[in-house]
Amino acid sequence: MTDTVAQVGQQSGELGVIDELVSYARENLSVDQRDVDWTRNRLLEYFSEHSESLSELAQSGDISGAALNDDAVMGILSAPPSRVEELFAIMREERGSTAAMQWLFDYCVANGYVKKRQLDRNIRYVSNGLIVTINTAKPEFKTMRNAASGNAVDSSFAQCTICRENEGLAARGKRTLRTVDVALAGDSFFWQFSPYGYFRQHGICVNQEHTPMHVDRRTFEHLLAFVQQFPEYFLGCNAALPRIGGSVLAHDHYQGGGELMPMQSAPAWKSFALPSEPDVRVEIIGWPATALRVLSADTDALVRVCERIRTAWADYDNDSLDIHSHDEQGERQSSVAPIARILPADRAGEPPLYEMSLILRNNAVSEQYPLGVFHAHPEYFFIKQEPIGLIEAMGLFVLPGRLVSQLDALERALADGTALPEQISDFELAWNEVRAQLSGNESADGVRRIVRDEVGSICRRILGNIAVFPQFADTERFLRDLGCRSLQQSV
Ligand SMILES: [Zn+2]
């Protein structure tokens, strides 16, 4: 160890780096004074084997900022999971769950797990009643490296990328991952923030057990239990079907965060109630995807009605609309994506009003749409080809990073009056629609505004693609078959 210190110490500038990192950990990562020497010595040991990393930090103008991208260094600087859990619990006890979540989020930004600096550079705007983001935070090369290292992991420890055993796992770049326990209606879950979150405090609530995704009565109970504990968050669950968003179907988990999604503020098209459940209101949301909103102050009644809708939808068939509840092999291909929240007090008053949104999803294919009838259709693949998951169905689109340069090329050609560039020839639909709106006198900014609106308009049409009922009247028929009766006005 003496040799190590001597070697590193040869360059006193580099020792300064270590001092700065240790004081950063003291100030931002809750490293106790008692652990300062220990932390410094672990850094010395690490840098004795990774001198290139130390020189890079020494040369950067912003040591702490540069270190945020170094999972190994930040892993050493971060407090152990037990300490983070303990501080979260203390914060929750003393200042409430909202403050505790804010503290944990800030912690995960400060230790580099949440890539906030990159995320803040993402393009994000509102158009056509949707939030459109272009996520460039996740660099392609990193994805490849992560994918390669992920394959190399001994699967006996962490069976998938969201198992809790990933906490500290170097091979997956998770040395800075910190999670906290959350109990949901008697079941054990944990919460973690997403490194590449798409919205305010985006995170996932994960089952302690590596057990498959599913949506049933317990799901509704879990989601409601979560928002009761974290009333400023929503929490939802992807429909447990392949190609419908849940990228990790093998491990039960929910998604949520602290931002209102466009669908949640969309007005009701019409309101209904079941005669047997007068305390529960069912609304058809005025939204391009097929979505219901179930509202009640009574969570038991709310769960009963949601379960009734879920089971009815799971077996609903309609040849004329291409809705097939089961595929040719007899596998289920209908499910709901539920999202819970508590309505803000100004709308709800006392007692609090609980809301469960239910997005009806179906995975049927047809001759015309072999990749899925209720998925993004091929004419829009140039904007988005990936599955439309929960968050996008709620109106926040996460578009691929390639669009930055592609839209740039599109805008330049439109502004210069040249032809559609060869490398984006698949953008012809957008090209024609934007050109029809141009007067020829637009500034570059003006062209950009129109192009961005075009992208928003296509995203809205994609939401129309995933609608299982093309007309609200079809959704109304489904509810009436269930026994729902329309309400004159809101209750
Ligand atoms: Zn797992």
Side-chain angles (χ1 to χ4, degrees), residues 225-300:
F226 182 89
V227 298
Q228 280 175 330
Q229 295 176 66
F230 301 99
E232 299 209 351
Y233 275 26
F234 74 83
L235 193 70
C237 181
N238 259 302
L241 296 168
R243 300 184 288 123
I244 284 190
S247 52
V248 183
L249 282 172
H251 194 145
D252 188 28
H253 69 286
Y254 307 132
Q255 284 202 58
E259 187 170 331
L260 190 68
M261 294 292 117
M263 187 187 83
Q264 293 170 307
S265 50
W269 177 74
K270 207 180 256 190
S271 300
F272 302 84
L274 284 162
S276 57
E277 298 283 4
D279 297 331
V280 182
R281 187 165 87 232
V282 180
E283 298 176 348
I284 295 173
I285 306 179
W287 188 247
T290 303
L292 304 170
R293 186 185 283 141
V294 189
L295 297 145
S296 185
D298 176 347
T299 53
D300 291 340

Side-chain angles (χ1 to χ4, degrees), residues 158-166 206-211 248 250-252:
Q159 293 184 63
C160 78
T161 53
I162 60 171
C163 275
R164 203 169 193 179
E165 288 84 349
N166 285 289
V206 187
N207 198 319
Q208 283 276 19
E209 282 180 52
H210 179 87
T211 180
V248 183
H251 194 145
D252 188 28

Side-chain angles (χ1 to χ4, degrees), residues 51-85:
S51 54
E52 76 293 341
S53 173
L54 183 60
S55 335
E56 268 174 39
L57 290 175
Q59 282 158 24
S60 71
D62 171 14
I63 294 167
S64 303
L68 287 179
N69 295 319
D70 194 326
D71 186 60
V73 170
M74 296 312 292
I76 294 169
L77 296 179
S78 300
S82 58
R83 176 76 177 144
V84 172
E85 181 90 60

Side-chain angles (χ1 to χ4, degrees), residues 393-412:
M394 293 169 81
L396 190 153
F397 269 76
V398 185
L399 302 178
R402 64 172 166 81
L403 278 172
V404 174
S405 60
Q406 289 175 325
L407 294 175
D408 224 43
L410 188 80
E411 286 166 22
R412 243 178 301 121

Side-chain angles (χ1 to χ4, degrees), residues 215 219-220 223 235-239 336-340 356-359 390:
V215 177
T219 310
F220 301 134
L223 299 180
L235 193 70
C237 181
N238 259 302
V336 299
I339 307 102
M356 188 76 72
S357 303
L358 300 173
I359 306 174
L390 173 75

Side-chain angles (χ1 to χ4, degrees), residues 38 47 64 71 74 84 89 91 111 145 181 192 249 259 284 301 303 356 420 428 446 448 473 477 482:
W38 176 71
F47 284 134
S64 303
D71 186 60
M74 296 312 292
V84 172
M91 183 71 76
N111 86 347
R145 195 178 63 179
D181 288 334
Q192 68 183 61
L249 282 172
E259 187 170 331
I284 295 173
V303 168
M356 188 76 72
L420 176 64
E428 197 179 346
R448 167 159 294 181
R477 211 163 295 124
L482 265 176

Side-chain angles (χ1 to χ4, degrees), residues 11 39 132 135 155 174 187 194 201 225 229 233 242 245 260 329 368 422 424 448 469-470 488:
Q11 288 153 299
T39 303
V132 178
N135 201 330
S155 63
K174 302 268 183 201
D187 290 324
S194 302
Q201 298 187 4
Q229 295 176 66
Y233 275 26
L260 190 68
Q329 284 74 45
Q368 192 189 356
E422 184 61 33
I424 51 166
R448 167 159 294 181
F469 290 124
Q488 287 308 312

